[in-house]
Amino acid sequence: MALFEDTKIPIDDAAEAVFAWAKSNGRVFFDALSDGLGGLIDTILWALEAVPPLVIILIVVALAWLVHRNWKVPALAGVGMLFILNQGYWTETMESLTLVLSACVVCMGLGVPIGILGARKPRFYAALRPILDLMQTLPPFVYLIPAIVFFGIGMVPGLIATVIFVLPAPIRLTQIGVASAPKPLIEAAEAFGSTSWQRLVKVELPWAAPQIMAGLNQTIMLSLSMVVIAALVGADGLGVPVVRALNRVDTGLGFESGIVIVVVAIVLDRLLRVERRGS
Amino acid sequence: MSEAIVFDNVSIIFGGTAERALALADAGQTRAEIQAETGDVLGVHDCSLTVEAGEIVVLMGLSGSGKSTLLRAVNGLNAVTRGAVRVDGGEGLVDMASADARTMRRMRRSRIAMVFQQFGLMPWRNVTENVGFGLEVSGMSRAEREARVSEQLALVGLSDWADRRVGELSGGMQQRVGLARAFATEAPILLMDEPFSALDPLIRQRLQDELLDLQARLKRTILFVSHDLDEAFHIGNRIAIMDGGKIVQAGTPQEIIANPKTRYVADFVANMNPLRVLRAEDIMQPGATAPEDAPRIAHDTPVQALMAEQLAADGTVAVEEGGAVVGMVTARDVLTALTNADKRRPDEDKDGDKA
């Protein structure tokens, strides 16, 4: 027993070595990534802050009506956002939305193509699955540490941590959607002379559209669940007051900011929940 | 007439050890024996058949007989293990078994269209968009496409449904969409894989008749798969009967009824509805002279219409072809034909295949 405990497998040192190597050799890559993501975040944040709150509320209500064609969802969205304004959390909400939207851009931009590739190449997907499991189960605090090392403090490491946690969802859902396209439809596409690309855009993606939309919904909700953790590495947004409340043991502030997060989550969820029409 | 499709000793094996499975098949082993020994499934073995331009040939057999497998070799949905499937490509025959991807696409886009048993329609598209699918794939502009599609919809009587989602249509209407989609590409060769099997009997008959009407106008070459002998005899100019991956008999409906080569074919023939298949010339007494006052009917009159004439004329009718009387049919002839057991039960010595 003593012998067994004496020779500890050096995961600690190995991880240290890997990240040290990455830091010294990947400087250019990480800087470029940091600049790119920083640019994305700045652009979205600038747009959300340039528009007056009431105009944003009006746009969201109008969009809700266009998508859902009923009065319930627009009313809920309007009331919810007015509540946020009333509680004085508008700026934080816009900052968190920036994080969520950036995560959407990155996760859907990577997740959909990877999911398609996974559906087309089962062996690639079989190799990918344990990595996706790891990304979803590894506690986020663990990869926050290297995120700080590589990207410093701020929105970018928050976004990176969010993407690592969220990315598996759109990959999995896209893969399921594309892989489940019925054989008769695929054969019909082939029988009329489709190229592989035409088969994808004319059959597989339209078929997978509900799953891909579910992937988008998941991406948004999971990203929102990361705002508090992102705040720990210095990302602005609704997580900041929660962390502050925790440090000061301020129950009132904690609940106030917590409820605002819940309201944002409800509004986003209702906005995005589109029933599939047709079949 | 010119050749539209030529199956030249086609064998199709599903599985990894095709060469061993082929050798076993050549040695005369059955499908079950081959599967037990190699794990491969023998789809079809050494099938040869020629389809002339403009005719309707029906591949017919029980499920698992290899008829769909053979059909799907024509447009490359199934890969041919050995042999050739030569298809009229506009400028000469193209071997689909060895065609490269580009040739395959060209053939699928402009020469061969297909109708599926389960329709294969896209539920997120409306009727117009489904019918235009083949044209869209080959890069036709939207305006041109819409003109062509509305023509096809008129042809199958679906003009009023153009903007509906296909899910709102009944099964029969959905298959009309499938037909229109296949006709729309103006491909001269049409593959139909049990297109009416999923439909109610009444709708099935109506669509069979509609298909024959369309064919009379459009003159395509149709290779049709069916497990229903009545359908095969009704639609086909010629029929190839398949069993265990082989073509056991090919010929016109009349040839097959008159002379079933194996017990398997005979069993099929015994179960068909002769009223829909037999014609005056099949049951007449050739050369016999009918009474002067007997009504004259054409040689290809279906037996049911013939019986109606007989009812009106006290039993005997004269059969004419090209203006001349070629034979006569008495009431007795009809009864003999409808009850005739010896023609539909071949002698034991004819039953070589199963012996």
Side-chain angles (χ1 to χ4, degrees):
Chain A
M1 200 61 198
L3 185 72
F4 185 73
E5 287 178 358
D6 280 347
T7 51
K8 189 184 170 196
I9 300 167
I11 291 176
D12 180 339
D13 298 339
E16 195 84 48
V18 167
F19 284 113
W21 180 88
K23 187 165 168 55
S24 53
N25 290 284
R27 185 85 267 161
V28 180
F29 169 73
F30 289 115
D31 283 352
L33 191 62
S34 182
D35 290 349
L37 294 177
L40 177 70
I41 291 167
D42 290 344
T43 312
I44 295 175
L45 189 60
W46 175 84
L48 286 177
E49 287 187 332
V51 184
L54 284 173
V55 176
I56 289 189
I57 294 178
L58 272 177
I59 292 173
V60 170
V61 170
L63 274 177
W65 189 83
L66 276 176
V67 174
H68 294 271
R69 301 275 167 184
N70 63 22
W71 58 269
K72 279 187 200 159
V73 178
L76 182 94
V79 170
M81 294 181 77
L82 286 172
F83 170 76
I84 294 165
L85 201 57
N86 165 269
Q87 293 296 303
Y89 281 90
W90 188 261
T91 310
E92 286 85 349
T93 301
M94 290 305 113
E95 286 161 356
S96 283
L97 272 184
T98 301
L99 197 66
V100 168
L101 290 174
S102 310
C104 276
V105 171
V106 176
C107 290
M108 296 309 279
L110 290 174
V112 172
I114 294 175
I116 291 168
L117 199 66
R120 286 276 176 100
K121 310 243 184 265
R123 279 163 72 185
F124 164 72
Y125 192 62
L128 190 64
R129 274 174 87 155
I131 301 173
L132 298 183
D133 292 340
L134 187 74
M135 287 164 76
Q136 282 185 312
T137 48
L138 200 67
F141 291 101
V142 174
Y143 43 79
L144 280 183
I145 309 162
I148 295 172
V149 174
F150 291 131
F151 303 104
I153 297 281
M155 290 291 252
V156 173
L159 177 59
I160 296 278
T162 304
V163 167
I164 292 174
F165 178 65
V166 174
L167 185 58
I171 292 179
R172 282 183 208 274
L173 282 158
T174 305
Q175 190 270 340
I176 290 173
V178 172
S180 70
K183 201 153 177 270
L185 289 187
I186 303 282
E187 289 191 335
E190 307 230 302
F192 285 97
S194 296
T195 59
S196 166
W197 174 253
Q198 284 173 325
R199 192 180 99 192
L200 180 68
V201 298
K202 292 185 195 298
V203 177
E204 288 168 329
L205 285 183
W207 174 265
Q211 275 95 337
I212 293 174
M213 283 307 292
L216 177 65
N217 191 333
Q218 291 261 298
T219 299
I220 290 177
M221 301 318 286
L222 290 172
S223 306
L224 198 59
S225 75
M226 286 291 285
V227 294
V228 175
I229 289 169
L232 288 174
V233 288
D236 303 324
L238 290 166
V240 175
V242 175
V243 172
R244 196 185 305 137
L246 188 65
N247 287 338
R248 294 191 201 150
V249 202
D250 186 339
T251 314
L253 178 64
F255 268 86
E256 187 183 282
S257 44
I259 285 172
V260 170
I261 294 178
V262 170
V263 169
V264 173
I266 291 174
V267 170
L268 285 177
D269 182 58
R270 290 296 180 278
L271 276 177
L272 289 162
R273 203 171 280 177
V274 183
E275 301 293 324
R276 191 185 191 187
R277 283 160 297 186
S279 64
Chain B
M1 268 209 235
S2 62
E3 293 166 336
I5 307 170
V6 180
F7 295 100
D8 184 0
N9 283 305
V10 175
S11 297
I12 296 174
I13 308 274
F14 298 106
T17 56
E19 291 202 353
R20 237 179 88 215
L22 267 181
L24 292 176
D26 291 341
Q29 300 229 32
T30 66
R31 187 184 273 179
E33 288 164 348
I34 293 169
Q35 188 164 12
E37 200 164 329
T38 65
D40 290 354
V41 177
L42 177 67
V44 298
H45 183 235
D46 274 350
C47 285
S48 292
L49 180 73
T50 299
V51 180
E52 303 287 343
E55 72 174 341
I56 303 181
V57 171
V58 181
L59 296 173
M60 111 126 242
L62 299 175
S63 57
S65 59
K67 52 196 192 303
S68 286
T69 307
L70 190 59
L71 177 91
R72 292 154 54 91
V74 176
N75 64 352
L77 286 184
N78 284 347
V80 173
T81 311
R82 186 181 65 191
V85 181
R86 286 187 281 275
V87 180
D88 179 11
E91 304 118 10
L93 297 178
V94 173
D95 181 13
M96 296 300 280
S98 60
D100 58 43
R102 261 189 79 176
T103 313
M104 185 76 87
R105 269 204 305 279
R106 181 180 76 81
M107 294 295 287
R108 287 168 168 179
R109 285 178 178 182
S110 63
R111 305 299 300 175
I112 309 167
M114 188 162 180
V115 182
F116 297 83
Q117 180 176 7
Q118 298 301 335
F119 319 141
L121 303 175
M122 327 275 162
W124 56 89
R125 289 173 168 237
N126 66 23
V127 170
T128 301
E129 290 161 347
N130 265 292
V131 173
F133 181 79
L135 306 173
E136 187 183 319
V137 162
S138 51
M140 186 183 276
S141 74
R142 176 175 289 270
E144 237 179 310
R145 220 157 64 211
E146 273 172 5
R148 185 90 75 90
V149 166
S150 70
E151 219 173 279
Q152 301 303 322
L153 287 179
L155 210 58
V156 297
L158 283 179
S159 298
D160 295 342
W161 299 78
D163 297 327
R164 301 292 189 96
R165 295 259 169 154
V166 288
E168 296 173 49
L169 273 57
S170 67
M173 290 168 112
Q174 292 196 26
Q175 195 55 301
R176 285 200 186 94
V177 176
L179 278 173
R181 177 173 67 179
F183 282 123
T185 64
E186 294 184 355
I189 295 167
L190 219 56
L191 306 178
M192 307 186 78
D193 190 359
E194 303 215 27
F196 307 143
S197 299
L199 305 175
D200 299 333
L202 272 178
I203 307 289
R204 191 185 312 160
Q205 274 195 24
R206 194 183 305 158
L207 278 179
Q208 288 166 2
D209 293 335
E210 284 180 21
L211 176 66
L212 291 176
D213 281 351
L214 287 174
Q215 170 66 357
R217 273 184 281 169
L218 301 173
K219 298 280 179 219
R220 304 284 163 87
T221 304
I222 299 178
L223 191 57
F224 191 105
V225 163
S226 177
H227 62 257
D228 173 0
L229 192 73
D230 288 336
E231 178 172 76
F233 281 1
H234 183 46
I235 285 185
N237 303 124
R238 283 195 304 136
I239 293 160
I241 298 184
M242 295 188 67
D243 181 22
K246 293 191 170 101
I247 294 177
V248 292
Q249 186 170 5
T252 64
Q254 282 69 35
E255 284 165 10
I256 288 172
I257 294 171
N259 186 21
K261 270 190 187 159
T262 70
R263 166 131 309 181
Y264 177 80
V265 178
D267 283 345
F268 263 125
V269 172
N271 287 317
M272 63 146 196
N273 174 3
L275 292 178
R276 292 197 66 193
V277 181
L278 293 176
R279 298 178 304 205
E281 62 186 347
D282 302 322
I283 62 169
M284 70 183 182
Q285 304 171 31
T289 35
E292 281 297 312
D293 57 343
R296 291 173 154 217
I297 57 163
H299 67 107
D300 58 355
T301 309
V303 77
Q304 200 158 11
L306 181 150
M307 286 158 75
E309 289 289 336
Q310 285 181 315
L311 258 186
D314 249 4
T316 305
V317 292
V319 181
E320 64 171 10
E321 183 170 4
V325 174
V326 292
M328 73 164 184
V329 181
T330 64
R332 193 183 172 78
D333 294 329
V334 173
L335 289 177
T336 311
L338 293 186
T339 54
N340 190 341
D342 62 302
K343 270 191 179 172
R344 292 196 256 136
R345 292 262 176 241
D347 305 326
E348 285 306 312
D349 60 279
K350 274 189 196 163
D351 199 8
D353 182 79
K354 292 280 166 82

